[in-house]
Amino acid sequence: MLGWALTFLIIALIAAALGFGGIAGASAGIAQILFVVFLILFVVAMVARAVRGKPPV
């Protein structure tokens, strides 16, 4: 999922450099959403691992 966020971020940067405002904005928005989802899943995984008694990596 983090890979998808990075992909959309790169698309947004390239589109912004070429002057495609709509595409850049949409790609940046998708990248932000995917990044937040990734962070939430990461935190949930760390909490679940701690609850099971394993130390965080």
Side-chain angles (χ1 to χ4, degrees), residues 29-51:
I30 292 170
Q32 287 176 343
I33 291 169
L34 289 176
F35 186 72
V36 169
V37 169
F38 169 77
L39 285 179
I40 291 170
L41 290 175
F42 177 74
V43 169
V44 168
M46 286 289 121
V47 169
R49 186 175 176 93
V51 167

Side-chain angles (χ1 to χ4, degrees), residues 13-26:
L13 291 174
I14 291 171
L18 295 176
F20 300 114
I23 296 171

